[in-house]
């Protein structure tokens, strides 16, 4: 992916996560969600590209997968990017909602917005930060096309894959790809996070 494609990235993330339980709790009003989510994902994408790899099927970005690979050591860059974009996101939230309620929701959901749990899985773990396919392309094999190379890479190199979801309806799909529930938790907000891990299956035959 190139930075020139970021408008399409933000559009796809906004569309795919508009009805996600996490963002419905963080931004309950639909009109506000339509206005604020693109700004949230603009900050998020610009942060994550500092230390993650982003792939799509085309510049149209009808689907995407974003990965953090521990083999690519970007510790200082990640630390600085997280701090800067956390500040920027909060400033934008306060500009869009002067009551401060939405910014407070984001603060209360810090555990749901963090991927610190991945550190408990062990070393050599690729983290899928985002995996999204636009609704119009569901059932057309695009999700499989995006995730298959990641699974093959993990199997060939003997690494685990971790991801999280806040939508229980996604669990069967991830189980289909070999993911198992590692942990789940709830917090101050009415949400549950499901933490999933897929162990390597061994080298694939050519």
């Amino acid at each position: 992916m190139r930075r020139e494609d970021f408008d399409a990235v933000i559009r796809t993330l906004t569309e795919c996560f508009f009805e996600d339980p996490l963002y419905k709790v963080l931004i309950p009003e639909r009109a506000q969600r339509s206005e604020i989510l693109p700004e949230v994902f603009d900050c998020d994408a610009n942060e994550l590209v500092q230390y993650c790899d982003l792939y799509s099927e085309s510049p149209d970005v009808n689907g995407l997968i974003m990965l953090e690979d521990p083999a690519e050591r970007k510790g200082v860059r990640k630390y600085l990017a997280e701090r800067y974009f956390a500040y920027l996101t909060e400033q934008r939230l306060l500009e869009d909602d002067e009551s401060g309620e939405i910014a407070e929701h984001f603060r209360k959901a810090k555990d749901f917005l963090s991927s610190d749990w991945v550190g408990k899985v062990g070393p050599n773990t690729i983290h899928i930060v985002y995996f999204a396919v636009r609704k119009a392309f569901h059932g057309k094999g695009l999700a499989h096309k995006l995730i298959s190379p990641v699974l093959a890479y993990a199997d060939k190199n003997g690494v685990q894959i971790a991801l999280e979801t806040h939508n229980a309806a996604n669990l069967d799909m991830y189980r289909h790809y070999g993911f198992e529930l590692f942990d789940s938790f709830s917090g101050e907000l009415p949400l549950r996070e499901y933490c999933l891990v897929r162990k390597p299956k061994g080298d694939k035959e050519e």
Side-chain angles (χ1 to χ4, degrees), residues 20-22 25 112 164-168 171 181 183-187 189-195:
D20 186 86
L22 172 63
V25 167
F112 296 97
E164 60 270 297
T165 183
H166 306 93
N167 189 345
L171 295 177
L181 186 65
D183 195 8
S184 69
F185 64 88
S186 57
L189 294 171
L191 283 169
R192 177 162 292 276
E193 179 163 300
Y194 303 92
C195 306

Side-chain angles (χ1 to χ4, degrees), residues 45 48 52-54 64-68 127-131:
L48 293 169
C52 293
D53 298 308
L54 176 61
L64 63 85
I65 192 164
M66 185 177 287
L67 313 168
E68 183 180 0
H127 179 216
I128 297 180
V129 183
Y130 282 123
F131 180 32

Side-chain angles (χ1 to χ4, degrees), residues 143-157:
H144 185 75
K145 181 179 180 181
L146 288 167
I147 201 170
S148 289
V150 181
L151 304 183
Y153 173 87
D155 290 341
K156 181 177 180 180
N157 292 277

Side-chain angles (χ1 to χ4, degrees), residues 132-143:
V133 174
R134 298 179 68 195
K135 189 173 182 178
F137 292 84
H138 287 187
K140 298 184 178 181
L142 182 51

